[in-house]
Amino acid sequence: MTPGSELTALVGLAAERILLADKVAAAKFGTGTPIEDPTREQQVLDQAKALAVEAGLDTGGTVDFFRAQIEMSKVVQQGLYDQWTEHPDQAPTERPDLATEVRPELDRITAEFIDQLVATQKLRGGTLRCHVALVRAEKTADHQYDLDRLHERALWGAIKPVCTG
């Protein structure tokens, strides 16, 4: 493994999840459905906690990581809502189905997140090594997924908890 590449898969998954926020926003925009969904958010956090226990991960850190994913997804959704409201011609013309198109992808990413959190457990924490690996992985994801400014900011917010501790 290349030095600094230990977090590439984890950060790549975070980028995929951030990009799925576009589909969530497209599904909700113009329907009156709010961006905030406290019931669904709690289900995701409860699932993350249960998976963390099963995998032997720190539950608090895992829940914090997933909370960051949710919060940054909402940042992207709000950014897109603002953009589409200001420029209606850019608004989506198709509405993805959350239950059949988006949630299965989110569930896949959740399971893969747990695997990556286990695989990177010894690296993650408040060390210089972790921070360097995180920055390198974030730059790789920015380029790999061709993220715009909104998505780059959201990705950084989503991965910040990786090196806290």
Side-chain angles (χ1 to χ4, degrees):
M1 185 169 285
T2 312
S5 67
E6 301 95 334
L7 297 174
T8 301
L10 179 65
V11 173
L13 288 169
E16 287 181 39
R17 194 178 197 292
I18 288 297
L19 289 168
L20 275 174
D22 293 22
K23 286 187 175 185
V24 174
K28 294 178 179 180
F29 185 73
T31 67
T33 303
I35 290 172
E36 301 266 341
D37 185 349
T39 302
R40 175 67 181 154
E41 292 168 23
Q42 192 58 53
Q43 290 170 346
V44 170
L45 296 175
D46 290 345
Q47 178 191 22
K49 184 175 182 179
L51 290 170
V53 168
E54 190 177 303
L57 290 168
D58 169 62
T59 55
T62 302
V63 169
D64 288 347
F65 176 78
F66 276 89
R67 186 173 288 115
Q69 306 312 303
I70 291 167
E71 291 306 315
M72 291 302 104
S73 175
K74 292 188 292 189
V75 165
V76 169
Q77 291 174 58
Q78 188 61 59
L80 292 173
Y81 269 40
D82 293 348
Q83 177 183 333
W84 297 337
T85 300
E86 190 172 327
H87 304 281
D89 57 306
Q90 296 175 10
T93 55
E94 294 185 21
R95 217 175 285 295
D97 185 86
L98 289 175
T100 62
E101 290 179 57
V102 180
R103 288 199 181 122
E105 281 299 300
L106 290 171
D107 291 342
R108 174 192 62 81
I109 290 170
T110 294
E112 290 182 30
F113 268 151
I114 295 296
D115 291 344
Q116 285 303 311
L117 289 170
V118 168
T120 60
Q121 196 165 355
K122 289 182 180 164
L123 171 63
R124 290 182 292 106
T127 65
L128 179 60
R129 180 173 171 232
C130 185
H131 287 284
V132 168
L134 189 63
V135 168
R136 286 184 177 161
E138 191 264 343
K139 293 296 176 206
T140 298
D142 284 351
H143 294 299
Q144 180 180 353
Y145 293 95
D146 194 27
L147 300 180
D148 61 18
R149 208 169 153 84
L150 171 65
H151 292 84
E152 280 180 15
R153 281 194 339 259
L155 176 60
W156 185 250
I159 63 174
K160 275 175 69 173
V162 169
C163 292
T164 57

